Amino acid sequence: MQTLVFFSDGSKIELHENELLFGIRPRKNDKVPVDMTEQEATAYLYNFPKTTGYNGPFELWRHAEEGLIPAFTEILANYFFFFTHDDPKTIYSSNNVVRIETK
């Protein structure tokens, strides 16, 4: 089973059953570089109150009637960005998905 994911820029990717995805989402920034003064650290945390973290891998599982769509939309609903296990250097924006087709 495969799913085609279309993005707002016209690009698309093909995802398959059992494929592993990772999600990236914001989290509270509570780590300050050690070489900063207290004033610099305060400014740093003010400017960057959030950082990002990733979770996964999440395996795309097959729903009996809806294919991979439920598994994939769970990732879209919970993560701002995602990437595949096979290509971790390419990050996709969840907000730019405009269509999902299961084949």
Side-chain angles (χ1 to χ4, degrees), residues 16-89:
H16 298 91
E17 185 175 359
N18 302 322
E19 186 157 359
L20 300 177
L21 299 180
F22 291 83
I24 301 172
R25 67 177 163 201
R27 63 179 176 81
K28 182 179 178 184
N29 186 4
D30 57 3
K31 299 200 187 245
V32 177
V34 294
D35 60 344
M36 288 186 174
T37 67
E38 185 176 337
Q39 183 178 7
E40 290 171 331
T42 300
Y44 174 78
L45 290 175
Y46 177 79
N47 288 322
F48 298 99
K50 293 191 183 269
T51 186
T52 57
Y54 70 89
N55 289 340
F58 302 109
E59 185 174 352
L60 289 180
W61 47 271
R62 179 203 269 221
H63 184 274
E65 296 175 9
E66 298 161 0
L68 305 179
I69 291 175
F72 183 61
T73 55
E74 283 182 345
I75 293 168
L76 295 180
N78 287 286
Y79 295 94
F80 288 172
F81 300 95
F82 67 93
F83 61 92
T84 64
H85 181 275
D86 295 338
D87 188 9
K89 293 185 178 183

